[in-house]
């Protein structure tokens, strides 16, 4: 790890957060980033609140110990199940001056401008769907928007195992899209409420009717983070800017380098990390 870096930490259970990191690197190229994928314990989406909270807190503490002042939970499941407790209960004790931000609120803020019918679909992990975080947040900001959710428990494993562009992958994508649209035919915008799903966007788009907008989180989160740092210059000055990005995984380094490198369209070096 490089010294004197106060990087922005980007955390996900596995590869999904790369869809957020990709946009962060494009829109904030001078900042330093550390990406941490907990591939060894992915998926989080089928795990209980306590387990997701414990894993996420461990990852946040690890990123803090590596010099991060600010951590983005680039994972809806962690944002849904752990963010609030970490912000309200843990941060004041372990690092009162550091910050942890999630991906759900910034995505919800965009909804009203993207739906005409005011019928929106949310696709996410079982954990995110069961937490009801999206319907609750949407109801607070846009009470007239009707939300229908669809849990897609097979989608994260498809991404983690490189099975998206296969007959099996397409079967599960179609199955969940058909199921969502059969519950509400007026849906004209779908939030991909899991950061893994943009890695499947090409296949999803092939199956989805053309009039339905797909809302994927990468650029939304990147814009929201830039705005946050603009509004919080005291935090911005604490984020170092040497245009670097380091990658850590809790599982096989070579698989991570191959897959992450393909997704980010660059070769990269990852390091193994244990909590
Ligand atoms: N990328 C995570 C999310 O946004 C995937 C969760 C999982 O590991 O199941 O929810």
């Amino acid at each position: 790890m490089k010294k004197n870096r106060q990087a922005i930490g980007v955390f996900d259970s596995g590869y999904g957060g790369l869809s957020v990191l990709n946009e962060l690197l494009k829109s904030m190229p001078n900042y330093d980033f550390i990406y941490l994928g907990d591939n060894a314990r992915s998926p989080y989406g089928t795990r209980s609140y306590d387990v997701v909270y414990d894993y996420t807190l461990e990852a946040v503490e690890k990123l803090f110990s590596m010099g991060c002042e600010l951590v983005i939970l680039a994972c809806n499941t962690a944002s849904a199940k752990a963010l609030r407790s970490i912000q309200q209960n843990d941060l004041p004790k372990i690092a009162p001056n550091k910050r942890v931000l999630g991906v759900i609120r910034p995505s919800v803020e965009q909804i009203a401008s993207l739906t005409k019918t005011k019928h929106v679909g949310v696709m996410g992990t079982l954990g995110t769907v069961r937490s009801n975080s999206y319907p609750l947040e949407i109801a607070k900001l846009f009470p007239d928007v009707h939300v229908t959710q669809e849990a897609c428990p097979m989608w994260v494993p498809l991404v983690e195992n490189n099975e998206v562009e296969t007959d099996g992958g397409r079967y599960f994508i179609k199955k969940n899209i058909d199921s969502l649209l059969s519950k509400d035919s007026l849906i004209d915008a779908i939030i991909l409420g899991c950061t893994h799903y943009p890695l499947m966007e090409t296949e999803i788009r092939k199956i989805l009717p053309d009039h339905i907008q797909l809302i994927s989180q990468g650029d939304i989160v990147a814009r929201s983070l830039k705005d946050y740092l603009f509004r919080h210059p005291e935090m911005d000055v604490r984020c170092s800017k040497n245009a670097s990005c380091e990658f850590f995984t809790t599982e096989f380094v070579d698989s991570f380098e191959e897959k992450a490198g393909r997704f980010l369209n660059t070769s990269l070096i990852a390091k193994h990390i244990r909590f």
Side-chain angles (χ1 to χ4, degrees):
M1 198 186 331
K2 297 191 181 85
K3 293 269 179 297
N4 303 322
R5 293 276 193 273
Q6 291 182 310
I8 297 173
V10 180
F11 169 68
D12 182 49
S13 62
Y15 295 110
L18 293 170
S19 64
V20 173
L21 179 71
N22 202 17
E23 298 299 326
L24 292 174
L25 290 171
K26 278 189 220 158
S27 67
M28 302 167 65
N30 53 331
Y31 286 76
D32 296 317
F33 293 98
I34 294 179
Y35 184 86
L36 171 55
D38 190 8
N39 301 79
R41 303 191 291 196
S42 174
Y44 281 15
T46 45
R47 297 188 192 275
S48 66
Y49 265 87
D50 289 351
V51 170
V52 172
Y53 164 71
D54 288 348
Y55 288 0
T56 305
L57 183 58
E58 273 183 349
V60 166
E61 289 185 310
K62 191 77 196 174
L63 285 162
F64 284 170
S65 77
M66 295 158 87
C68 295
E69 294 289 307
L70 171 66
V71 172
I72 309 296
L73 299 184
C75 174
N76 289 263
T77 311
S79 298
K81 292 184 160 188
L83 178 64
R84 186 154 304 193
S85 292
I86 291 175
Q87 285 175 332
Q88 291 178 355
N89 304 328
D90 299 299
L91 274 188
K93 285 183 248 156
I94 61 171
N97 295 322
K98 300 199 179 204
R99 291 290 172 266
V100 180
L101 304 174
V103 290
I104 293 179
R105 180 75 182 210
S107 314
V108 165
E109 285 168 356
Q110 302 303 314
I111 285 173
S113 61
L114 295 166
T115 174
K116 289 196 181 73
T117 61
K118 298 202 184 306
H119 285 245
V120 167
V122 174
M123 312 197 84
T125 65
L126 208 54
T128 298
V129 166
R130 282 197 185 146
S131 76
N132 260 335
S133 296
Y134 274 97
L136 291 170
E137 287 293 326
I138 293 169
K140 276 188 226 157
L141 294 186
F142 309 112
D144 55 337
V145 170
H146 187 270
V147 186
T148 304
Q149 300 192 92
E150 174 73 10
C152 312
M154 291 303 291
W155 287 20
V156 170
L158 290 175
V159 171
E160 291 286 316
N161 295 294
N162 226 355
E163 292 285 337
V164 174
E165 290 165 30
T166 63
D167 289 346
R170 285 184 275 270
Y171 168 82
F172 283 110
I173 294 170
K174 182 164 168 33
K175 183 175 172 207
N176 287 118
I177 288 175
D178 288 351
S179 167
L180 177 70
L181 298 181
S182 74
K183 288 185 266 187
D184 182 357
S185 60
L186 295 178
I187 287 172
D188 67 348
I190 292 177
I191 300 177
L192 294 180
C194 171
T195 54
H196 278 68
Y197 299 171
L199 280 67
M200 315 167 70
E201 196 165 332
T202 309
E203 292 303 319
I204 296 172
R205 199 64 267 180
K206 283 181 197 162
I207 290 166
L208 204 64
D210 287 344
H211 71 281
I212 298 181
Q213 297 228 46
L214 265 189
I215 304 166
S216 98
Q217 296 176 310
D219 67 320
I220 293 174
V221 174
R223 271 186 277 133
S224 161
L225 179 60
K226 268 180 107 165
D227 180 56
Y228 175 85
L229 291 173
F230 180 73
R231 287 183 288 109
H232 294 273
E234 77 290 354
M235 176 55 75
D236 189 54
V237 293
R238 289 164 59 198
C239 297
S240 58
K241 298 167 187 76
N242 304 289
S244 74
C245 186
E246 292 183 274
F247 294 88
F248 293 86
T249 174
T250 53
E251 248 307 339
F252 294 116
V253 166
D254 48 356
S255 316
F256 187 93
E257 287 174 345
E258 193 267 315
K259 199 180 285 190
R262 193 148 37 86
F263 181 70
L264 296 174
N265 213 9
T266 179
S267 62
L268 58 91
I269 293 174
K271 294 181 194 127
H272 185 255
I273 198 163
R274 291 182 78 174
F275 295 151

